[in-house]
Amino acid sequence: MRWVEQLTIGRIAIDATTEGIQKVEFTEESLGGERNHWTNQCLTWLARYFEGDTTPCDIPLVTIGTEFQQNVWQALRTIPYGETRTYEEIAIQIGKPNAYRAVGNANNKNPWMVLTPCHRVIGKNGKLVGYRGGLSFKEQLLAHEKRHSH
C-alpha cells in the first residue's frame, strides 16, 4: 500500500507491506492513499525527526537489493545524526575500499530516503554530490540535522 503525505521538507510517498516499510521517496503525487501500522509508525518517526529527535529509525525495512547494496544500506544506518561520511569511508567500512563508485550507485538506489540516511554521504572533497531527491533536499536535511545535533 502507498500513502502520500506533505511534510515540512516536501511531499513524500511511503510504500508499506505487512512486514514493514518498502520505500520512502519524494514525490509530486496526490496526497492520500492507503495506510497500515507501518505507515503510521513511519509518519510518527518522520514527524519526530523533523522536530529534531535524533533517535535512529527502528521500523522494519523490507529489504530488496543485492548483498552489496544491503551492506551499503546497513553502513548508512550507522552514520550518526548530524554527521557525514564520504563514499570512500563507506567503501572502507564495508570492506571494499576501492568500491566507492559502487557505494555511490547503491546509495542512489536506497529505497528508504531519510530513514536510511543516504543524505549523510558526501564527496571526498566535502561537497554535496548525488542525491536522488535532489541536492536541495540533501542540503536541507543536513542543515536540519546540524541545527538539532548536540
Side-chain angles (χ1 to χ4, degrees):
M1 56 191 51
R2 187 169 181 91
W3 179 260
V4 178
E5 182 88 12
Q6 181 68 42
L7 300 178
T8 57
I9 195 166
R11 192 172 291 190
I12 61 148
I14 302 168
D15 293 337
T17 68
T18 56
E19 289 83 37
I21 300 299
Q22 192 169 32
K23 188 180 229 181
V24 176
E25 63 185 348
F26 292 107
T27 186
E28 295 297 322
E29 294 173 42
S30 300
L31 298 174
E34 290 185 65
R35 291 168 66 163
N36 70 7
H37 171 75
W38 298 120
T39 309
N40 294 335
Q41 292 291 316
C42 184
L43 289 168
T44 299
W45 184 87
L46 286 166
R48 288 193 334 253
Y49 171 86
F50 285 111
E51 290 169 359
D53 188 335
T54 63
T55 307
C57 178
D58 62 355
I59 300 166
L61 304 176
V62 179
T63 305
I64 300 170
T66 67
E67 183 179 346
F68 181 84
Q69 288 171 329
Q70 292 178 43
N71 289 337
V72 170
W73 300 334
Q74 185 59 41
L76 298 178
R77 291 184 203 111
T78 68
I79 305 171
Y81 186 98
E83 294 184 20
T84 58
R85 299 290 183 273
T86 66
Y87 294 97
E88 183 178 36
E89 288 171 322
I90 297 296
I92 291 166
Q93 181 178 341
I94 65 169
K96 305 280 186 187
N98 295 320
Y100 50 90
R101 284 194 177 110
V103 165
N105 247 350
N107 204 41
N108 186 48
K109 302 254 188 295
N110 169 25
W112 312 282
M113 296 171 75
V114 183
L115 277 66
T116 297
C118 55
H119 60 277
R120 295 180 188 155
V121 183
I122 60 174
K124 187 174 183 176
N125 59 3
K127 292 190 178 185
L128 301 186
V129 294
Y131 188 62
R132 195 179 51 177
L135 287 181
S136 67
F137 282 124
K138 184 173 190 165
E139 187 173 32
Q140 289 177 62
L141 290 168
L142 290 172
H144 165 78
E145 290 186 7
K146 186 171 183 161
R147 279 192 308 274
H148 294 284
S149 61
H150 305 313

